[in-house]
Short mmCIF file of all heavy atoms in Angstrom, two decimals:
data_model
loop_
_atom_site.label_atom_id
_atom_site.label_comp_id
_atom_site.label_asym_id
_atom_site.label_seq_id
_atom_site.Cartn_x
_atom_site.Cartn_y
_atom_site.Cartn_z
N MET I 1 -58.62 -39.99 -31.92
CA MET I 1 -57.82 -41.19 -31.94
C MET I 1 -56.38 -40.91 -31.51
O MET I 1 -55.67 -41.82 -31.17
CB MET I 1 -57.80 -41.79 -33.34
CG MET I 1 -59.14 -42.22 -33.85
SD MET I 1 -59.52 -43.85 -33.25
CE MET I 1 -60.93 -44.21 -34.21
N LYS I 2 -55.94 -39.68 -31.56
CA LYS I 2 -54.55 -39.37 -31.25
C LYS I 2 -54.19 -39.68 -29.82
O LYS I 2 -53.03 -39.88 -29.51
CB LYS I 2 -54.27 -37.89 -31.54
CG LYS I 2 -54.30 -37.56 -33.00
CD LYS I 2 -53.98 -36.10 -33.22
CE LYS I 2 -54.03 -35.79 -34.71
NZ LYS I 2 -53.69 -34.41 -34.99
N LYS I 3 -55.18 -39.76 -28.93
CA LYS I 3 -54.85 -39.99 -27.52
C LYS I 3 -54.64 -41.47 -27.19
O LYS I 3 -54.25 -41.79 -26.08
CB LYS I 3 -55.94 -39.40 -26.62
CG LYS I 3 -57.29 -40.08 -26.73
CD LYS I 3 -58.29 -39.41 -25.80
CE LYS I 3 -59.65 -40.08 -25.90
NZ LYS I 3 -60.61 -39.48 -25.00
N TYR I 4 -54.85 -42.37 -28.16
CA TYR I 4 -54.74 -43.80 -27.90
C TYR I 4 -53.40 -44.35 -28.37
O TYR I 4 -52.90 -43.99 -29.43
CB TYR I 4 -55.87 -44.56 -28.57
CG TYR I 4 -57.23 -44.16 -28.05
CD1 TYR I 4 -58.07 -43.35 -28.78
CD2 TYR I 4 -57.64 -44.58 -26.79
CE1 TYR I 4 -59.31 -42.96 -28.29
CE2 TYR I 4 -58.87 -44.19 -26.29
CZ TYR I 4 -59.70 -43.39 -27.04
OH TYR I 4 -60.92 -43.01 -26.54
N ASP I 5 -52.84 -45.27 -27.57
CA ASP I 5 -51.59 -45.94 -27.94
C ASP I 5 -51.83 -47.09 -28.91
O ASP I 5 -51.05 -47.34 -29.82
CB ASP I 5 -50.87 -46.47 -26.69
CG ASP I 5 -50.47 -45.37 -25.73
OD1 ASP I 5 -49.98 -44.33 -26.21
OD2 ASP I 5 -50.66 -45.54 -24.52
N ILE I 6 -52.94 -47.82 -28.68
CA ILE I 6 -53.28 -48.98 -29.50
C ILE I 6 -54.74 -48.85 -29.91
O ILE I 6 -55.60 -48.54 -29.08
CB ILE I 6 -53.09 -50.30 -28.72
CG1 ILE I 6 -51.66 -50.42 -28.21
CG2 ILE I 6 -53.45 -51.50 -29.60
CD1 ILE I 6 -51.46 -51.58 -27.24
N ILE I 7 -55.02 -49.11 -31.17
CA ILE I 7 -56.39 -49.11 -31.67
C ILE I 7 -56.67 -50.49 -32.24
O ILE I 7 -55.87 -51.02 -33.03
CB ILE I 7 -56.59 -48.03 -32.75
CG1 ILE I 7 -56.29 -46.65 -32.18
CG2 ILE I 7 -58.01 -48.10 -33.31
CD1 ILE I 7 -56.23 -45.55 -33.22
N ALA I 8 -57.78 -51.10 -31.84
CA ALA I 8 -58.16 -52.42 -32.35
C ALA I 8 -59.51 -52.31 -33.04
O ALA I 8 -60.38 -51.56 -32.61
CB ALA I 8 -58.25 -53.42 -31.21
N GLY I 9 -59.65 -53.04 -34.12
CA GLY I 9 -60.92 -53.03 -34.83
C GLY I 9 -60.92 -54.06 -35.93
O GLY I 9 -59.96 -54.80 -36.12
N LYS I 10 -62.00 -54.11 -36.64
CA LYS I 10 -62.15 -55.08 -37.72
C LYS I 10 -61.56 -54.54 -39.01
O LYS I 10 -61.63 -53.36 -39.29
CB LYS I 10 -63.62 -55.41 -37.94
CG LYS I 10 -64.29 -56.04 -36.73
CD LYS I 10 -63.72 -57.40 -36.45
CE LYS I 10 -64.41 -58.06 -35.28
NZ LYS I 10 -63.82 -59.33 -34.94
N ILE I 11 -60.97 -55.43 -39.80
CA ILE I 11 -60.42 -55.06 -41.09
C ILE I 11 -61.57 -55.01 -42.09
O ILE I 11 -62.37 -55.93 -42.19
CB ILE I 11 -59.39 -56.11 -41.57
CG1 ILE I 11 -58.19 -56.12 -40.65
CG2 ILE I 11 -58.99 -55.86 -43.01
CD1 ILE I 11 -57.20 -57.21 -40.95
N ALA I 12 -61.65 -53.93 -42.83
CA ALA I 12 -62.65 -53.82 -43.88
C ALA I 12 -61.99 -54.16 -45.21
O ALA I 12 -61.08 -53.48 -45.64
CB ALA I 12 -63.22 -52.41 -43.91
N ASP I 13 -62.45 -55.24 -45.83
CA ASP I 13 -61.88 -55.60 -47.13
C ASP I 13 -62.60 -54.83 -48.24
O ASP I 13 -63.47 -53.99 -47.98
CB ASP I 13 -61.93 -57.11 -47.35
CG ASP I 13 -63.35 -57.66 -47.39
OD1 ASP I 13 -64.31 -56.87 -47.52
OD2 ASP I 13 -63.51 -58.87 -47.30
N ASP I 14 -62.26 -55.10 -49.48
CA ASP I 14 -62.85 -54.37 -50.60
C ASP I 14 -64.36 -54.52 -50.67
O ASP I 14 -65.07 -53.57 -50.98
CB ASP I 14 -62.22 -54.81 -51.92
CG ASP I 14 -60.78 -54.34 -52.04
OD1 ASP I 14 -60.41 -53.38 -51.34
OD2 ASP I 14 -60.04 -54.93 -52.83
N ALA I 15 -64.89 -55.72 -50.38
CA ALA I 15 -66.33 -55.94 -50.43
C ALA I 15 -67.03 -55.10 -49.37
O ALA I 15 -68.10 -54.53 -49.61
CB ALA I 15 -66.65 -57.42 -50.24
N THR I 16 -66.45 -55.00 -48.20
CA THR I 16 -67.02 -54.19 -47.13
C THR I 16 -67.03 -52.72 -47.54
O THR I 16 -68.02 -52.02 -47.36
CB THR I 16 -66.22 -54.37 -45.83
OG1 THR I 16 -66.22 -55.75 -45.49
CG2 THR I 16 -66.80 -53.57 -44.70
N ASN I 17 -65.93 -52.26 -48.10
CA ASN I 17 -65.83 -50.87 -48.52
C ASN I 17 -66.87 -50.53 -49.58
O ASN I 17 -67.50 -49.48 -49.52
CB ASN I 17 -64.42 -50.59 -49.03
CG ASN I 17 -64.16 -49.12 -49.23
OD1 ASN I 17 -64.54 -48.30 -48.40
ND2 ASN I 17 -63.53 -48.79 -50.33
N VAL I 18 -67.07 -51.41 -50.54
CA VAL I 18 -68.06 -51.18 -51.59
C VAL I 18 -69.45 -51.07 -50.98
O VAL I 18 -70.24 -50.19 -51.33
CB VAL I 18 -68.01 -52.29 -52.66
CG1 VAL I 18 -69.21 -52.23 -53.58
CG2 VAL I 18 -66.73 -52.20 -53.46
N THR I 19 -69.78 -51.95 -50.05
CA THR I 19 -71.09 -51.92 -49.39
C THR I 19 -71.31 -50.60 -48.66
O THR I 19 -72.36 -49.98 -48.77
CB THR I 19 -71.23 -53.11 -48.41
OG1 THR I 19 -71.08 -54.32 -49.15
CG2 THR I 19 -72.58 -53.11 -47.73
N ILE I 20 -70.31 -50.16 -47.92
CA ILE I 20 -70.44 -48.91 -47.15
C ILE I 20 -70.54 -47.72 -48.09
O ILE I 20 -71.37 -46.83 -47.88
CB ILE I 20 -69.27 -48.77 -46.16
CG1 ILE I 20 -69.42 -49.83 -45.07
CG2 ILE I 20 -69.24 -47.37 -45.54
CD1 ILE I 20 -68.24 -49.97 -44.15
N LEU I 21 -69.73 -47.67 -49.13
CA LEU I 21 -69.81 -46.56 -50.09
C LEU I 21 -71.16 -46.54 -50.80
O LEU I 21 -71.73 -45.46 -51.03
CB LEU I 21 -68.67 -46.64 -51.10
CG LEU I 21 -67.28 -46.35 -50.55
CD1 LEU I 21 -66.21 -46.59 -51.63
CD2 LEU I 21 -67.19 -44.92 -50.03
N THR I 22 -71.67 -47.71 -51.14
CA THR I 22 -72.99 -47.80 -51.79
C THR I 22 -74.06 -47.24 -50.87
O THR I 22 -74.95 -46.50 -51.29
CB THR I 22 -73.29 -49.26 -52.17
OG1 THR I 22 -72.25 -49.74 -53.02
CG2 THR I 22 -74.62 -49.38 -52.89
N TYR I 23 -73.96 -47.57 -49.58
CA TYR I 23 -74.89 -47.03 -48.59
C TYR I 23 -74.78 -45.51 -48.50
O TYR I 23 -75.78 -44.79 -48.51
CB TYR I 23 -74.61 -47.67 -47.22
CG TYR I 23 -75.38 -47.05 -46.08
CD1 TYR I 23 -76.69 -47.43 -45.83
CD2 TYR I 23 -74.79 -46.10 -45.26
CE1 TYR I 23 -77.41 -46.87 -44.78
CE2 TYR I 23 -75.50 -45.53 -44.20
CZ TYR I 23 -76.81 -45.92 -43.97
OH TYR I 23 -77.52 -45.36 -42.94
N LEU I 24 -73.54 -45.00 -48.47
CA LEU I 24 -73.31 -43.57 -48.28
C LEU I 24 -73.77 -42.72 -49.47
O LEU I 24 -74.04 -41.53 -49.30
CB LEU I 24 -71.83 -43.30 -47.98
CG LEU I 24 -71.35 -43.80 -46.62
CD1 LEU I 24 -69.85 -43.62 -46.48
CD2 LEU I 24 -72.09 -43.08 -45.49
N VAL I 25 -73.86 -43.30 -50.65
CA VAL I 25 -74.37 -42.54 -51.79
C VAL I 25 -75.89 -42.67 -51.92
O VAL I 25 -76.49 -42.12 -52.82
CB VAL I 25 -73.69 -42.93 -53.13
CG1 VAL I 25 -72.21 -42.64 -53.09
CG2 VAL I 25 -73.97 -44.36 -53.51
N GLY I 26 -76.50 -43.41 -50.98
CA GLY I 26 -77.96 -43.51 -50.96
C GLY I 26 -78.54 -44.57 -51.86
O GLY I 26 -79.75 -44.58 -52.11
N ALA I 27 -77.73 -45.48 -52.37
CA ALA I 27 -78.23 -46.50 -53.28
C ALA I 27 -79.15 -47.52 -52.61
O ALA I 27 -79.93 -48.19 -53.29
CB ALA I 27 -77.06 -47.22 -53.96
N TYR I 28 -79.06 -47.66 -51.29
CA TYR I 28 -79.94 -48.59 -50.57
C TYR I 28 -81.20 -47.89 -50.07
O TYR I 28 -82.04 -48.50 -49.44
CB TYR I 28 -79.21 -49.21 -49.37
CG TYR I 28 -78.01 -50.05 -49.73
CD1 TYR I 28 -76.89 -50.06 -48.93
CD2 TYR I 28 -77.99 -50.84 -50.87
CE1 TYR I 28 -75.78 -50.83 -49.23
CE2 TYR I 28 -76.89 -51.61 -51.20
CZ TYR I 28 -75.79 -51.60 -50.38
OH TYR I 28 -74.70 -52.36 -50.68
N GLY I 29 -81.30 -46.60 -50.30
CA GLY I 29 -82.43 -45.80 -49.82
C GLY I 29 -81.89 -44.63 -49.02
O GLY I 29 -80.69 -44.35 -49.02
N THR I 30 -82.76 -43.96 -48.33
CA THR I 30 -82.37 -42.80 -47.54
C THR I 30 -81.43 -43.21 -46.42
O THR I 30 -81.74 -44.11 -45.64
CB THR I 30 -83.62 -42.11 -46.94
OG1 THR I 30 -84.50 -41.77 -48.00
CG2 THR I 30 -83.24 -40.87 -46.17
N ILE I 31 -80.27 -42.54 -46.36
CA ILE I 31 -79.29 -42.85 -45.33
C ILE I 31 -79.92 -42.66 -43.95
O ILE I 31 -80.55 -41.64 -43.69
CB ILE I 31 -78.04 -41.96 -45.48
CG1 ILE I 31 -77.33 -42.28 -46.80
CG2 ILE I 31 -77.09 -42.14 -44.30
CD1 ILE I 31 -76.20 -41.34 -47.14
N GLY I 32 -79.77 -43.65 -43.11
CA GLY I 32 -80.33 -43.59 -41.76
C GLY I 32 -81.73 -44.17 -41.65
O GLY I 32 -82.24 -44.34 -40.55
N SER I 33 -82.34 -44.48 -42.79
CA SER I 33 -83.67 -45.09 -42.74
C SER I 33 -83.56 -46.54 -42.31
O SER I 33 -82.53 -47.19 -42.51
CB SER I 33 -84.37 -45.01 -44.10
OG SER I 33 -83.75 -45.89 -45.03
N LYS I 34 -84.61 -47.04 -41.74
CA LYS I 34 -84.61 -48.43 -41.25
C LYS I 34 -84.33 -49.40 -42.40
O LYS I 34 -83.58 -50.35 -42.25
CB LYS I 34 -85.96 -48.72 -40.59
CG LYS I 34 -86.03 -50.03 -39.88
CD LYS I 34 -87.35 -50.18 -39.14
CE LYS I 34 -87.37 -51.44 -38.32
NZ LYS I 34 -88.59 -51.58 -37.53
N GLU I 35 -84.93 -49.15 -43.55
CA GLU I 35 -84.78 -50.04 -44.70
C GLU I 35 -83.35 -50.04 -45.22
O GLU I 35 -82.76 -51.08 -45.48
CB GLU I 35 -85.75 -49.64 -45.82
CG GLU I 35 -87.20 -49.79 -45.47
CD GLU I 35 -87.76 -48.64 -44.62
OE1 GLU I 35 -87.11 -47.56 -44.54
OE2 GLU I 35 -88.82 -48.81 -44.03
N ALA I 36 -82.79 -48.84 -45.40
CA ALA I 36 -81.42 -48.74 -45.92
C ALA I 36 -80.42 -49.34 -44.93
O ALA I 36 -79.51 -50.08 -45.33
CB ALA I 36 -81.06 -47.28 -46.21
N ASP I 37 -80.61 -49.05 -43.65
CA ASP I 37 -79.71 -49.60 -42.63
C ASP I 37 -79.78 -51.13 -42.61
O ASP I 37 -78.75 -51.81 -42.56
CB ASP I 37 -80.06 -49.05 -41.24
CG ASP I 37 -79.70 -47.58 -41.09
OD1 ASP I 37 -79.13 -46.99 -42.03
OD2 ASP I 37 -80.00 -47.03 -40.02
N ALA I 38 -81.01 -51.68 -42.68
CA ALA I 38 -81.19 -53.13 -42.64
C ALA I 38 -80.53 -53.78 -43.85
O ALA I 38 -79.88 -54.83 -43.72
CB ALA I 38 -82.67 -53.48 -42.57
N LEU I 39 -80.68 -53.18 -45.02
CA LEU I 39 -80.08 -53.75 -46.22
C LEU I 39 -78.56 -53.72 -46.14
O LEU I 39 -77.89 -54.72 -46.43
CB LEU I 39 -80.56 -52.98 -47.46
CG LEU I 39 -80.10 -53.50 -48.81
CD1 LEU I 39 -80.46 -54.97 -49.00
CD2 LEU I 39 -80.69 -52.67 -49.92
N CYS I 40 -78.01 -52.61 -45.70
CA CYS I 40 -76.55 -52.49 -45.59
C CYS I 40 -76.00 -53.47 -44.55
O CYS I 40 -75.04 -54.20 -44.82
CB CYS I 40 -76.18 -51.06 -45.22
SG CYS I 40 -74.40 -50.76 -45.20
N ILE I 41 -76.62 -53.51 -43.39
CA ILE I 41 -76.17 -54.42 -42.34
C ILE I 41 -76.30 -55.87 -42.79
O ILE I 41 -75.42 -56.70 -42.54
CB ILE I 41 -76.94 -54.17 -41.03
CG1 ILE I 41 -76.52 -52.81 -40.46
CG2 ILE I 41 -76.71 -55.29 -40.02
CD1 ILE I 41 -77.39 -52.30 -39.34
N GLY I 42 -77.38 -56.18 -43.49
CA GLY I 42 -77.58 -57.53 -44.02
C GLY I 42 -76.48 -57.95 -44.98
O GLY I 42 -76.09 -59.11 -45.04
N ARG I 43 -75.94 -56.99 -45.72
CA ARG I 43 -74.83 -57.29 -46.64
C ARG I 43 -73.50 -57.40 -45.91
O ARG I 43 -72.59 -58.07 -46.37
CB ARG I 43 -74.75 -56.24 -47.73
CG ARG I 43 -75.92 -56.29 -48.69
CD ARG I 43 -75.79 -55.18 -49.72
NE ARG I 43 -76.85 -55.27 -50.69
CZ ARG I 43 -76.75 -55.89 -51.87
NH1 ARG I 43 -75.62 -56.45 -52.21
NH2 ARG I 43 -77.77 -55.94 -52.70
N LEU I 44 -73.38 -56.71 -44.78
CA LEU I 44 -72.12 -56.73 -44.03
C LEU I 44 -71.99 -57.93 -43.10
O LEU I 44 -70.89 -58.41 -42.86
CB LEU I 44 -71.97 -55.44 -43.21
CG LEU I 44 -71.74 -54.17 -44.02
CD1 LEU I 44 -71.81 -52.95 -43.12
CD2 LEU I 44 -70.42 -54.22 -44.77
N ILE I 45 -73.09 -58.42 -42.56
CA ILE I 45 -73.04 -59.50 -41.57
C ILE I 45 -72.31 -60.75 -42.08
O ILE I 45 -71.52 -61.33 -41.34
CB ILE I 45 -74.45 -59.84 -41.05
CG1 ILE I 45 -74.91 -58.72 -40.12
CG2 ILE I 45 -74.49 -61.18 -40.34
CD1 ILE I 45 -76.33 -58.85 -39.63
N PRO I 46 -72.52 -61.18 -43.32
CA PRO I 46 -71.81 -62.40 -43.77
C PRO I 46 -70.29 -62.24 -43.89
O PRO I 46 -69.58 -63.22 -43.97
CB PRO I 46 -72.40 -62.69 -45.15
CG PRO I 46 -73.64 -61.89 -45.23
CD PRO I 46 -73.47 -60.73 -44.33
N GLU I 47 -69.80 -61.01 -43.94
CA GLU I 47 -68.36 -60.79 -44.04
C GLU I 47 -67.65 -61.36 -42.82
O GLU I 47 -68.07 -61.16 -41.70
CB GLU I 47 -68.04 -59.29 -44.16
CG GLU I 47 -68.61 -58.63 -45.39
CD GLU I 47 -67.93 -59.11 -46.67
OE1 GLU I 47 -66.72 -59.35 -46.65
OE2 GLU I 47 -68.63 -59.22 -47.67
N ARG I 48 -66.58 -62.06 -43.06
CA ARG I 48 -65.79 -62.61 -41.96
C ARG I 48 -64.62 -61.66 -41.69
O ARG I 48 -63.53 -61.87 -42.19
CB ARG I 48 -65.29 -64.00 -42.31
CG ARG I 48 -66.39 -65.04 -42.35
CD ARG I 48 -65.81 -66.41 -42.44
NE ARG I 48 -66.62 -67.57 -42.37
CZ ARG I 48 -67.91 -67.74 -42.48
NH1 ARG I 48 -68.67 -66.72 -42.66
NH2 ARG I 48 -68.50 -68.90 -42.41
N LEU I 49 -64.90 -60.65 -40.92
CA LEU I 49 -63.89 -59.64 -40.63
C LEU I 49 -62.95 -60.13 -39.53
O LEU I 49 -63.36 -60.80 -38.60
CB LEU I 49 -64.56 -58.33 -40.22
CG LEU I 49 -65.56 -57.76 -41.23
CD1 LEU I 49 -66.18 -56.49 -40.68
CD2 LEU I 49 -64.90 -57.50 -42.57
N GLU I 50 -61.71 -59.79 -39.65
CA GLU I 50 -60.69 -60.17 -38.68
C GLU I 50 -60.22 -58.95 -37.91
O GLU I 50 -60.27 -57.84 -38.42
CB GLU I 50 -59.50 -60.82 -39.39
CG GLU I 50 -59.85 -62.08 -40.16
CD GLU I 50 -60.25 -63.24 -39.27
OE1 GLU I 50 -59.76 -63.31 -38.13
OE2 GLU I 50 -61.03 -64.08 -39.73
N ASN I 51 -59.74 -59.18 -36.71
CA ASN I 51 -59.23 -58.07 -35.91
C ASN I 51 -57.92 -57.54 -36.46
O ASN I 51 -57.09 -58.29 -36.96
CB ASN I 51 -59.02 -58.50 -34.46
CG ASN I 51 -60.32 -58.59 -33.71
OD1 ASN I 51 -61.27 -57.88 -34.00
ND2 ASN I 51 -60.39 -59.47 -32.74
N GLN I 52 -57.78 -56.25 -36.38
CA GLN I 52 -56.55 -55.58 -36.79
C GLN I 52 -56.14 -54.68 -35.62
O GLN I 52 -56.98 -54.12 -34.94
CB GLN I 52 -56.86 -54.80 -38.05
CG GLN I 52 -56.26 -53.45 -38.17
CD GLN I 52 -56.67 -52.77 -39.46
OE1 GLN I 52 -56.55 -53.32 -40.53
NE2 GLN I 52 -57.14 -51.56 -39.34
N PHE I 53 -54.84 -54.57 -35.40
CA PHE I 53 -54.33 -53.75 -34.31
C PHE I 53 -53.35 -52.73 -34.87
O PHE I 53 -52.48 -53.07 -35.66
CB PHE I 53 -53.62 -54.61 -33.26
CG PHE I 53 -54.54 -55.63 -32.65
CD1 PHE I 53 -54.66 -56.89 -33.20
CD2 PHE I 53 -55.30 -55.32 -31.54
CE1 PHE I 53 -55.52 -57.83 -32.66
CE2 PHE I 53 -56.16 -56.24 -30.99
CZ PHE I 53 -56.28 -57.50 -31.54
N CYS I 54 -53.51 -51.49 -34.46
CA CYS I 54 -52.62 -50.42 -34.87
C CYS I 54 -51.89 -49.92 -33.62
O CYS I 54 -52.51 -49.39 -32.70
CB CYS I 54 -53.43 -49.29 -35.50
SG CYS I 54 -52.42 -47.86 -35.92
N PHE I 55 -50.58 -50.14 -33.57
CA PHE I 55 -49.77 -49.68 -32.45
C PHE I 55 -49.22 -48.31 -32.83
O PHE I 55 -48.30 -48.20 -33.63
CB PHE I 55 -48.65 -50.69 -32.16
CG PHE I 55 -49.18 -52.00 -31.68
CD1 PHE I 55 -49.57 -52.98 -32.58
CD2 PHE I 55 -49.31 -52.25 -30.33
CE1 PHE I 55 -50.08 -54.19 -32.14
CE2 PHE I 55 -49.82 -53.46 -29.87
CZ PHE I 55 -50.20 -54.42 -30.78
N ARG I 56 -49.79 -47.27 -32.26
CA ARG I 56 -49.53 -45.91 -32.70
C ARG I 56 -48.34 -45.26 -32.00
O ARG I 56 -47.80 -44.27 -32.48
CB ARG I 56 -50.77 -45.05 -32.46
CG ARG I 56 -51.99 -45.57 -33.20
CD ARG I 56 -53.14 -44.58 -33.21
NE ARG I 56 -52.77 -43.42 -34.02
CZ ARG I 56 -52.53 -42.22 -33.51
NH1 ARG I 56 -52.65 -42.00 -32.24
NH2 ARG I 56 -52.20 -41.22 -34.29
N THR I 57 -47.96 -45.75 -30.82
CA THR I 57 -46.90 -45.09 -30.05
C THR I 57 -45.89 -46.11 -29.53
O THR I 57 -46.14 -47.31 -29.52
CB THR I 57 -47.51 -44.35 -28.84
OG1 THR I 57 -48.08 -45.33 -27.96
CG2 THR I 57 -48.57 -43.35 -29.25
N ASP I 58 -44.77 -45.61 -29.06
CA ASP I 58 -43.77 -46.49 -28.42
C ASP I 58 -44.38 -47.16 -27.19
O ASP I 58 -44.09 -48.33 -26.90
CB ASP I 58 -42.52 -45.70 -28.03
CG ASP I 58 -41.68 -45.34 -29.23
OD1 ASP I 58 -41.81 -46.01 -30.28
OD2 ASP I 58 -40.88 -44.38 -29.13
N ALA I 59 -45.22 -46.44 -26.45
CA ALA I 59 -45.87 -47.03 -25.28
C ALA I 59 -46.74 -48.23 -25.69
O ALA I 59 -46.77 -49.24 -25.00
CB ALA I 59 -46.73 -45.99 -24.56
N GLY I 60 -47.41 -48.12 -26.81
CA GLY I 60 -48.21 -49.22 -27.32
C GLY I 60 -47.35 -50.41 -27.71
O GLY I 60 -47.67 -51.56 -27.42
N LEU I 61 -46.24 -50.14 -28.37
CA LEU I 61 -45.32 -51.21 -28.78
C LEU I 61 -44.72 -51.93 -27.59
O LEU I 61 -44.46 -53.13 -27.64
CB LEU I 61 -44.21 -50.65 -29.68
CG LEU I 61 -44.64 -50.24 -31.08
CD1 LEU I 61 -43.51 -49.54 -31.80
CD2 LEU I 61 -45.12 -51.44 -31.86
N LYS I 62 -44.50 -51.22 -26.50
CA LYS I 62 -43.93 -51.84 -25.30
C LYS I 62 -44.88 -52.83 -24.65
O LYS I 62 -44.47 -53.62 -23.81
CB LYS I 62 -43.51 -50.76 -24.30
CG LYS I 62 -42.29 -49.99 -24.78
CD LYS I 62 -41.88 -48.89 -23.83
CE LYS I 62 -40.70 -48.14 -24.43
NZ LYS I 62 -40.33 -46.99 -23.65
N CYS I 63 -46.14 -52.84 -25.05
CA CYS I 63 -47.11 -53.81 -24.54
C CYS I 63 -46.92 -55.18 -25.18
O CYS I 63 -47.45 -56.17 -24.70
CB CYS I 63 -48.54 -53.34 -24.82
SG CYS I 63 -49.01 -51.88 -23.90
N LEU I 64 -46.16 -55.23 -26.28
CA LEU I 64 -45.92 -56.49 -26.97
C LEU I 64 -44.78 -57.27 -26.33
O LEU I 64 -43.85 -56.68 -25.80
CB LEU I 64 -45.56 -56.23 -28.43
CG LEU I 64 -46.62 -55.57 -29.29
CD1 LEU I 64 -46.04 -55.24 -30.66
CD2 LEU I 64 -47.83 -56.46 -29.42
N SER I 65 -44.88 -58.58 -26.39
CA SER I 65 -43.77 -59.42 -25.95
C SER I 65 -43.63 -60.59 -26.93
O SER I 65 -44.62 -61.09 -27.45
CB SER I 65 -43.99 -59.93 -24.52
OG SER I 65 -45.13 -60.75 -24.45
N PHE I 66 -42.41 -60.98 -27.19
CA PHE I 66 -42.14 -62.09 -28.10
C PHE I 66 -42.52 -63.40 -27.42
O PHE I 66 -42.15 -63.66 -26.28
CB PHE I 66 -40.65 -62.10 -28.47
CG PHE I 66 -40.29 -63.25 -29.37
CD1 PHE I 66 -40.60 -63.21 -30.71
CD2 PHE I 66 -39.67 -64.37 -28.85
CE1 PHE I 66 -40.28 -64.26 -31.54
CE2 PHE I 66 -39.35 -65.43 -29.68
CZ PHE I 66 -39.65 -65.38 -31.02
N VAL I 67 -43.28 -64.24 -28.12
CA VAL I 67 -43.70 -65.52 -27.56
C VAL I 67 -42.95 -66.66 -28.22
O VAL I 67 -42.33 -67.47 -27.55
CB VAL I 67 -45.23 -65.70 -27.72
CG1 VAL I 67 -45.67 -67.07 -27.25
CG2 VAL I 67 -45.98 -64.61 -26.98
N GLU I 68 -43.00 -66.73 -29.54
CA GLU I 68 -42.31 -67.79 -30.26
C GLU I 68 -42.26 -67.47 -31.73
O GLU I 68 -42.94 -66.57 -32.19
CB GLU I 68 -42.99 -69.16 -30.04
CG GLU I 68 -44.37 -69.24 -30.68
CD GLU I 68 -45.02 -70.59 -30.46
OE1 GLU I 68 -45.38 -70.90 -29.32
OE2 GLU I 68 -45.17 -71.30 -31.46
N SER I 69 -41.46 -68.21 -32.46
CA SER I 69 -41.42 -68.08 -33.92
C SER I 69 -41.47 -69.47 -34.53
O SER I 69 -41.27 -70.46 -33.85
CB SER I 69 -40.16 -67.33 -34.34
OG SER I 69 -39.03 -68.11 -34.09
N GLU I 70 -41.72 -69.48 -35.81
CA GLU I 70 -41.76 -70.75 -36.51
C GLU I 70 -41.34 -70.49 -37.94
O GLU I 70 -41.66 -69.45 -38.51
CB GLU I 70 -43.17 -71.33 -36.39
CG GLU I 70 -43.82 -71.77 -37.61
CD GLU I 70 -45.26 -72.27 -37.37
OE1 GLU I 70 -45.94 -71.86 -36.44
OE2 GLU I 70 -45.66 -73.08 -38.20
N GLN I 71 -40.53 -71.39 -38.48
CA GLN I 71 -40.06 -71.24 -39.85
C GLN I 71 -41.06 -71.90 -40.78
O GLN I 71 -41.49 -73.03 -40.55
CB GLN I 71 -38.68 -71.87 -40.01
CG GLN I 71 -38.08 -71.58 -41.35
CD GLN I 71 -36.61 -71.96 -41.40
OE1 GLN I 71 -36.04 -72.45 -40.43
NE2 GLN I 71 -35.99 -71.74 -42.54
N ILE I 72 -41.43 -71.19 -41.82
CA ILE I 72 -42.38 -71.71 -42.80
C ILE I 72 -41.67 -71.78 -44.14
O ILE I 72 -41.07 -70.80 -44.60
CB ILE I 72 -43.61 -70.77 -42.89
CG1 ILE I 72 -44.31 -70.71 -41.55
CG2 ILE I 72 -44.55 -71.25 -43.99
CD1 ILE I 72 -45.42 -69.71 -41.48
N TRP I 73 -41.75 -72.93 -44.75
CA TRP I 73 -41.09 -73.15 -46.04
C TRP I 73 -42.10 -73.03 -47.17
O TRP I 73 -43.19 -73.55 -47.08
CB TRP I 73 -40.45 -74.56 -46.09
CG TRP I 73 -39.36 -74.72 -45.09
CD1 TRP I 73 -39.46 -75.26 -43.86
CD2 TRP I 73 -38.02 -74.31 -45.25
NE1 TRP I 73 -38.26 -75.23 -43.22
CE2 TRP I 73 -37.34 -74.64 -44.05
CE3 TRP I 73 -37.30 -73.69 -46.26
CZ2 TRP I 73 -36.00 -74.38 -43.87
CZ3 TRP I 73 -35.97 -73.44 -46.06
CH2 TRP I 73 -35.33 -73.78 -44.88
N ARG I 74 -41.71 -72.33 -48.20
CA ARG I 74 -42.54 -72.25 -49.40
C ARG I 74 -42.12 -73.35 -50.35
O ARG I 74 -40.95 -73.56 -50.58
CB ARG I 74 -42.38 -70.90 -50.07
CG ARG I 74 -42.94 -69.77 -49.25
CD ARG I 74 -42.77 -68.49 -49.96
NE ARG I 74 -43.80 -68.38 -50.97
CZ ARG I 74 -43.93 -67.32 -51.76
NH1 ARG I 74 -43.11 -66.33 -51.67
NH2 ARG I 74 -44.90 -67.27 -52.64
N ASN I 75 -43.06 -74.02 -50.94
CA ASN I 75 -42.76 -75.07 -51.92
C ASN I 75 -42.73 -74.51 -53.31
O ASN I 75 -43.40 -73.66 -53.70
CB ASN I 75 -43.79 -76.19 -51.85
CG ASN I 75 -43.69 -76.95 -50.55
OD1 ASN I 75 -42.63 -77.01 -49.96
ND2 ASN I 75 -44.78 -77.53 -50.12
#
């Protein structure tokens, strides 16, 4: 990953992390088995993951440009 300026991917929330850790300890069955994989993937698919971007270098940051701003008031 060190050779990349920008990394994009999905955000894993706590529910996603629990599912993956449960899979990795073998609770869904043998890791890599069709059954365990299907169960884990079935639990992950409903998650509404959002894109996350990591700008790792100055070169990556220079790809950004300001478009607009908006003031938001808290009530």
Side-chain angles (χ1 to χ4, degrees):
M1 298 276 190
K2 291 181 181 182
K3 66 180 180 178
Y4 298 104
D5 297 318
I6 303 170
I7 300 171
K10 298 293 182 184
I11 295 173
D13 63 14
D14 290 339
T16 302
N17 191 43
V18 168
T19 301
I20 291 171
L21 290 175
T22 303
Y23 172 82
L24 291 174
V25 298
Y28 297 144
T30 304
I31 295 172
S33 71
K34 188 174 185 177
E35 295 80 16
D37 289 357
L39 184 55
C40 185
I41 291 168
R43 292 178 176 265
L44 291 172
I45 287 175
E47 297 291 324
R48 290 191 174 15
L49 304 178
E50 299 292 331
N51 284 330
Q52 140 181 309
F53 300 90
C54 175
F55 294 86
R56 301 191 68 250
T57 64
D58 287 339
L61 288 173
K62 289 178 183 174
C63 293
L64 297 174
S65 63
F66 178 78
V67 175
E68 68 180 69
S69 68
E70 130 183 27
Q71 188 168 1
I72 299 173
W73 295 96
R74 293 180 79 179
N75 293 333

